[in-house]
Amino acid sequence: MTESRRNERGSALIMAVFVLALVASMGMALLFLGQLEVRMSKTGLQEKKSFFLAEAGVEDGRGSLYDINKGEDFSDDLTTSAGPDGNHMVDPSAIRPVYDAAGNLTGFTGYGDDVPLTNTTAFGEGWYMVLLANDPLEQATPTLDQNHRVMMTGVGAGPDSSFEVVQAIVEKDEILPQIPPATILLLGPDPAFQSGSSNPKEYVGDDCNGLGGMPGLYVPVVGTVDTVVDEGIERPKNFMTGGLEGYDTVADVTDADALDAMGAGLGPLDPSWTDCAFLQQMVESIREVADVVCEPPAPCTPPPPSPSRVMMVDGDYTVGGDESGQGLLLVTGTLEMHGRASWRGLILVIGEGKFDRFGAGNGVISGSLVVADIAGPDDIYGTADDCSGGVEGFDTAAFDEKGGGNGDTVFCTDDIVPAIPIPPYKVVSFVQH
Amino acid sequence: MNRTRSGERGFTLIELMVSATVLLLAMAGLLSLLVHNARINKTQRINMELQSSARNSLAMVVQKLRSAGWDPLNTGLGTVVLDPDDLDADDADGVDDIEILADLTGDGDVDDPNEQVRIVRSGDRLVWRRSPAEPYIVLAAGITNDADGDGVAEPLFTPDRLPDPSRITVRITAESPIPNPTSGRPDRYTVTTDVVLRSAL
């Protein structure tokens, strides 16, 4: 009996051990697979981290380059980054991270004597560095930039020695076409121009009234496009362009011969100004870079003018009596300026295309003014019928000045150039190595 | 001694049958537990493989998409071509076919390997080729892309706008070939991400 019991107990134990072993082996297999999965996921995560570190480097470099370059060509930046030998040694396959005994990054190797645009910088759980070189199209001239494009190499080093290199070609972007060659440019057919009814102000095509600007440059006071200038234009006697007054101060700014005859130094109008779809795109681009975007009836507070201001009003806007501003002002509705109000820079009234100036005063507009009605048959900008009315999307642009005073409306490149916004440098091409 | 022996007499038939029955029942219970355990184990292993292949496929697709449009010589290369053969343009399937362009060698064309990568969902498999001259390779199986189980696959690639997308949502759903023993339905695992086409910004 005792022996039998012992035997029974033994078999139960064996069976229990067998079953346990089976279950345990299954569990172990699952655990192994799970661990493998965790390891793979971790590796994938580290790769992602180092990729985003490298990309963060490119973004940092893009911002730094914008700050130090200020929209000029990149030659001086390329000369600095090339180092003493004057050549860029960036080779994505040669760059390697260097770690100390504690596992902290001490720097990178494999880029010769190049001077990084952004030195090794700790960020989040890793580090990045950015190198600058001319874009591949201009590799033959490492430090001469003529196409406003450069290549940035972002190097990212994340946890557990993970490492990534990305490259981006960045380009200077132009939002506005070339400066329009007229003090007041009225785009579209049959432009309506009404000058002051009492002691009218002066309209001057001399660059900055002969004080500054480009010596000898003068432009038409009212620029039109393919329009017989006798119609719709009321010209007061105090129109001035260089030595010319009266009739010749109004010109078709697309007619190179007419401009030559007047001695305009800017050349004929950039065709983009007569492309309705381009203007729509331009309005949207300005919206993106504007310091302030107002949407009336919400109140509109102009941003501080330093260093320059870009202000967009998506609707009607009034520049009050004693107000003065500078920079780029874009209004898609009707722009009203009171007689004492002043503006230095570029005023774009593109949308409904109506500019009204009321009351007497000595306010000065110094720069250039462009008026275009591209709002379509409903005369509301931002609707589906924009660019579908009139001639090739343009209806009559209107400039109406009531009252008078001593102030001028003057073409002035010195005020226009600082008003042209320089958008962030654009990534035009990107690769992960 | 005799007494003792008579006291230790053998089991009766009834005792044996009862004990055998009890043992059998216990064994049956244990066996069903084992079978159930093995089934769960198998399902979990399959699910793990499914998740792994879905995630790996996504990682590979994302990596290719990030470099879409790399055009160092400024030849005017685009970024991606969605549904290049227009095979399923009118289908509810959406876009399951993409071609990713990148001049990685910087020679002005996209004829080299990895420069014209085509990724296609074909049936329940995700396949790709690295250039038009190369054959298609299976990236992953079990990619039904039917996350809600309504029998209609969701699009693999969804652009934010057409033409010239600036970002693409990639959505990969893997489905287990055998039903889950608990729910009786196949398990589905979906991974999705938005990829910004950096060259199109």
Side-chain angles (χ1 to χ4, degrees):
Chain A
M1 179 72 180
T2 318
E3 272 182 11
S4 304
R5 277 189 184 163
R6 268 184 199 145
N7 286 343
E8 278 170 17
R9 251 188 245 133
S11 101
L13 188 66
I14 288 167
M15 286 198 55
V17 168
F18 174 70
V19 169
L20 268 175
L22 208 64
V23 171
S25 67
M26 285 183 193
M28 288 288 284
L30 211 60
L31 199 68
F32 173 73
L33 275 173
Q35 276 181 337
L36 197 68
E37 190 60 26
V38 168
R39 273 209 300 274
M40 282 168 65
S41 299
K42 203 174 167 190
T43 308
L45 193 66
Q46 311 297 37
E47 279 171 12
K48 272 185 198 161
K49 281 181 180 170
S50 48
F51 166 77
F52 286 119
L53 279 162
E55 196 183 34
V58 167
E59 288 304 304
D60 185 332
R62 192 154 68 108
S64 305
L65 190 64
Y66 180 83
D67 289 340
I68 59 177
N69 183 271
K70 305 285 185 204
E72 295 167 359
D73 75 59
F74 295 113
S75 297
D76 54 340
D77 311 297
L78 290 169
T79 303
T80 304
S81 65
D85 71 356
N87 278 309
H88 294 103
M89 311 295 286
V90 183
D91 174 6
S93 61
I95 299 173
R96 291 282 177 275
V98 181
Y99 295 91
D100 63 13
N104 291 316
L105 190 91
T106 55
F108 296 93
T109 60
Y111 55 95
D113 67 350
D114 287 11
V115 178
L117 178 65
T118 305
N119 281 314
T120 304
T121 304
F123 184 62
E125 293 177 49
W127 300 265
Y128 63 70
M129 179 190 73
V130 191
L131 298 160
L132 186 73
N134 213 341
D135 74 295
L137 281 173
E138 293 186 330
Q139 259 176 348
T141 55
T143 57
L144 177 64
D145 168 47
Q146 292 179 303
N147 61 4
H148 305 304
R149 287 158 63 100
V150 283
M151 183 157 70
M152 284 185 188
T153 303
V155 189
D160 299 335
S161 308
S162 58
F163 172 63
E164 279 283 355
V165 180
V166 301
Q167 287 187 303
I169 294 175
V170 301
E171 190 178 76
K172 202 175 82 172
D173 200 9
E174 306 279 357
I175 288 185
L176 299 181
Q178 199 185 353
I179 301 170
T183 312
I184 300 162
L185 176 64
L186 301 176
L187 296 167
D190 306 323
F193 182 94
Q194 298 288 324
S195 68
S197 50
S198 61
N199 183 28
K201 299 184 182 207
E202 285 195 337
Y203 304 89
V204 183
D206 274 12
D207 200 4
C208 308
N209 222 344
L211 305 168
M214 299 180 211
L217 171 66
Y218 49 95
V219 299
V221 166
V222 179
T224 60
V225 174
D226 295 333
T227 303
V228 178
V229 293
D230 284 338
E231 293 176 10
I233 304 287
E234 181 195 313
R235 291 184 299 280
K237 61 182 178 184
N238 54 351
F239 269 35
M240 297 198 309
T241 289
L244 302 171
E245 290 184 15
Y247 180 88
D248 287 334
T249 56
V250 180
D252 174 0
V253 286
T254 60
D255 184 347
D257 293 338
L259 292 172
D260 285 346
M262 298 182 66
L266 291 177
L269 186 70
D270 186 321
S272 298
W273 288 106
T274 57
D275 178 348
C276 196
F278 183 91
L279 293 189
Q280 269 184 310
Q281 181 61 45
M282 187 182 80
V283 168
E284 294 315 309
S285 300
I286 292 173
R287 188 193 300 273
E288 282 176 22
V289 301
D291 300 309
V292 164
V293 177
C294 304
E295 293 180 352
C300 216
T301 308
S306 178
S308 185
R309 100 180 11 154
V310 179
M311 181 172 169
M312 174 183 177
V313 183
D314 198 359
D316 299 339
Y317 185 57
T318 300
V319 184
D322 292 319
E323 288 182 43
S324 64
Q326 67 184 65
L328 173 64
L329 173 63
L330 166 65
V331 178
T332 62
T334 298
L335 172 60
E336 286 183 13
M337 282 185 82
H338 290 185
R340 295 197 305 277
S342 294
W343 193 275
R344 303 177 80 85
L346 190 57
I347 299 176
L348 305 176
V349 187
I350 296 175
E352 292 175 31
K354 288 183 182 61
F355 176 89
D356 292 331
R357 205 161 190 208
F358 293 106
N362 54 1
V364 173
I365 297 175
S366 179
S368 186
L369 169 68
V370 181
V371 187
D373 179 357
I374 60 168
D378 68 359
D379 214 23
I380 301 169
Y381 183 75
T383 53
D385 71 349
D386 293 350
C387 281
S388 67
V391 178
E392 295 178 7
F394 289 85
D395 277 310
T396 294
F399 176 98
D400 190 356
E401 181 151 354
K402 300 175 182 70
N406 301 320
D408 297 342
T409 302
V410 184
F411 181 86
C412 183
T413 51
D414 284 356
D415 286 330
I416 296 170
V417 171
I420 294 174
I422 304 163
Y425 298 148
K426 193 168 65 170
V427 173
V428 292
S429 224
F430 184 93
V431 70
Q432 178 183 5
H433 289 282
Chain B
M1 184 72 178
N2 279 351
R3 258 191 185 177
T4 316
R5 276 192 179 167
S6 68
E8 289 179 359
R9 67 191 165 80
F11 298 108
T12 65
L13 183 62
I14 293 172
E15 281 175 331
L16 272 173
M17 284 182 70
V18 168
S19 62
T21 310
V22 169
L23 194 68
L24 214 63
L25 283 173
M27 287 291 288
L30 214 60
L31 195 70
S32 80
L33 196 73
L34 265 178
V35 169
H36 188 66
N37 197 2
R39 206 176 288 158
I40 289 176
N41 191 313
K42 188 179 174 187
T43 315
Q44 284 187 330
R45 207 179 63 240
I46 288 172
N47 283 356
M48 217 173 264
E49 282 166 9
L50 275 182
Q51 292 182 15
S52 178
S53 71
R55 281 210 299 267
N56 289 342
S57 303
L58 185 75
M60 292 172 90
V61 173
V62 166
Q63 208 224 358
K64 295 291 171 201
L65 277 174
R66 277 181 191 149
S67 298
W70 173 245
D71 183 17
L73 300 185
N74 202 23
T75 58
L77 185 69
T79 50
V80 296
V81 184
L82 287 159
D83 199 13
D85 293 334
D86 203 24
L87 290 175
D88 52 5
D90 302 323
D91 286 359
D93 279 0
V95 180
D96 284 337
D97 189 353
I98 199 170
E99 196 155 78
I100 302 168
L101 307 170
D103 179 13
L104 300 176
T105 56
D107 60 359
D109 62 44
V110 286
D111 298 335
D112 303 294
N114 284 317
E115 294 193 338
Q116 216 181 129
V117 175
R118 180 91 169 264
I119 301 166
V120 184
R121 188 176 69 80
S122 170
D124 67 347
R125 292 185 313 170
L126 193 66
V127 299
W128 81 352
R129 61 147 173 70
R130 302 187 311 153
S131 76
E134 295 186 16
Y136 281 92
I137 298 164
V138 177
L139 268 181
I143 310 296
T144 60
N145 251 47
D146 182 14
D148 51 11
D150 64 355
V152 180
E154 282 85 48
L156 198 60
F157 305 104
T158 308
D160 62 338
R161 62 178 190 223
L162 283 173
D164 303 325
S166 68
R167 67 175 62 216
I168 291 179
T169 305
V170 186
R171 183 190 179 92
I172 297 176
T173 299
E175 188 173 302
S176 63
I178 58 164
N180 186 309
T182 314
S183 66
R185 293 192 303 273
D187 283 326
R188 298 188 188 89
Y189 181 72
T190 301
V191 282
T192 181
T193 190
D194 266 3
V195 188
V196 174
L197 299 177
R198 289 158 171 84
S199 296
L201 285 178

